[in-house]
Amino acid sequence: MIDFTQMTIHGLRDLLKNGEITSVELVESLLARVDALDDKIKSFIRIDREAALAMAKESDCRRATNSELSPYDGIPIGIKDCICVKDDYVSCASQILEPVVSPYDSTAVSRLKAKGFIPFGRLNMDEFAMGSSCENSSFQKTANPFDLERVPGGSSGGSAASVAARLVPAALGSDTGGSIRQPAAFCGIVGVKPTYGLVSRYGLVAFASSLDQIGPMTLDVEDSAIILETIAGNDKMDSTSLPIENNTLDYSSIFSKLPDNLNGVKVGIPKEYFEADGLAPAVKQAALDAVEKLKKLGAEIVNIELPHTKYAVAVYYIIATAEASANLARFDGIRYGRRVEGKDLVDTYFASRGQGFGEEVQRRILLGTYVLSSGYYDAYYLKAQKVRTLIRRDFEKAAELCDVIFTPVTPDVAFKFGAKSDPLSMYLSDIFTIALNLSGNCGLSLPVALDSESGMPIGMQFIAPALQERKLFEVAGVFEKYGVGAKFAPAE
Ligand code: GLN
């Protein structure tokens, strides 16, 4: 029997190995759970049930003949709707891509399939990953499983909600400015934004190409390590993929010999993140309590500064919108997706894009086109690139003083639907996550407590220098086990 509250990938691996469950039973029970619970949560846009069950059957056959592809063969994983799975719909929760079927697998998905993981459903998101609440989806509003009146975060809100509600053991998300870590924090799960270039972007519908990364969203740190080592590595299909020898990445072996302390680990505490305007008292208290626990575990706390953090949101909304305006130019109603016929070609472009894109996406295309236009390029785009370098240097300097940095993920817990109706207040909810997309560092969001007033989860973020994911998993793994010591599940 599956205990859904404990449904980790490493737990399912052992159940499958010992013959206590089959992959078909697992997929069938998840589908039944989705039927029972997802009417209210609305995390999945669609699930190709037949395909998932067919893959589960194949997996069980492999296991019966001891030819499983890996210990994880037969485990389902949810996929954010901007990551391509061959022969399945890919819509980025946008009307303009209704209906488009992907002719190929993204590299991340093909690597998961090569280990026997089963892509399970398309998960809701903010349209083209632009947003922090999933309210920008053109299909449905996903609810936070901890409180159905609150948002799950975004843009990977469907991924976070489905994992938190135990509808699927893990999911892929994408993170351009916080879209994995923020919803993970809002829904009480673990999420990782890998080092830029560690995971191939091939088959990820581009939002802002110099920032986007695919990453895992899971119930615990070990599961994130398992997924990340599966999907990471060099890929000739992505020119920004880092030259890492494939099959050399090993993160999950840490967990068989995890230390019980953090002796000798230097943890940097950036004052800009602990004294930020708008930091809710409950989140600040949880952060300070967590720092005390880090100390108790033997970590050395180092006060550091990241002085250019205050420009991160402004820089991000110039660079990300500039890149988005170029990337989204390809959606013109001609080559694929939804076409609205106009009186001539240009009119068809206008009609298709005007009706196909939602309000937030249109806002960003306009903003991005503006900052790139002649006369404004130097004042905005070029300036933003220079400040981006300063932000990166902040992190490089910090790395001389500490092994990892520790911060809150979000200024407050998950908010209610409609609470952030003006775009700026929504943009400001990402102040703690955006800087490391600009710098390229890796970051992990880990649930540490429930807010006593609202009952909502609170997440903290560990940040490490580029390609130090192993360190990130080790420190977060020790802290999860000996500092937090609890998992957070919504009431059923
Ligand atoms: N919330 C941020 C935005 O709206 C980040 C989104 C993301 O990481 N995809 O752009």
Side-chain angles (χ1 to χ4, degrees), residues 37-95:
L37 299 173
D38 209 38
D39 257 3
K40 290 204 175 100
I41 299 170
K42 296 193 168 63
S43 58
F44 283 97
I45 294 174
R46 51 172 80 88
I47 302 178
D48 186 341
R49 290 164 188 252
E50 277 163 30
L53 280 166
M55 290 177 96
K57 254 186 216 150
E58 284 168 21
S59 170
D60 287 338
C61 289
R62 284 192 293 269
R63 229 172 247 282
T65 54
N66 292 323
S67 53
E68 59 265 29
L69 299 171
S70 82
Y72 308 105
D73 199 332
I75 297 181
I77 178 163
I79 310 288
K80 185 177 180 181
D81 198 28
C82 55
I83 300 170
C84 294
V85 175
K86 190 173 188 304
D87 298 332
D88 205 349
Y89 290 98
V90 53
S91 72
C92 297
S94 179
Q95 295 298 325

Side-chain angles (χ1 to χ4, degrees), residues 2 4-9 12 26-27 29-34 37-38 41 43-44 47 52 74-80 117-123 157-172 189 217-220 223 227:
I2 304 161
F4 286 104
T5 59
Q6 306 290 331
M7 191 180 50
T8 56
I9 291 175
L12 292 171
L26 177 57
V27 168
S29 53
L30 291 177
L31 289 171
R33 236 178 121 70
V34 169
L37 299 173
D38 209 38
I41 299 170
S43 58
F44 283 97
I47 302 178
I75 297 181
I77 178 163
I79 310 288
K80 185 177 180 181
F117 283 99
I118 298 173
F120 184 86
R122 310 292 303 167
L123 289 159
S159 302
S162 63
V163 174
R166 278 66 173 169
L167 303 180
V168 65
L172 290 185
I189 64 164
M217 303 180 74
T218 60
L219 287 179
D220 66 12
D223 278 2
I227 298 294

Side-chain angles (χ1 to χ4, degrees), residues 30 70 127 177 198 221 238 254 289 362 453 458:
L30 291 177
S70 82
E127 185 179 1
L198 181 63
V221 178
D238 172 1
I254 297 168
D289 291 349
Q362 294 195 21
E453 212 170 288
I458 298 176

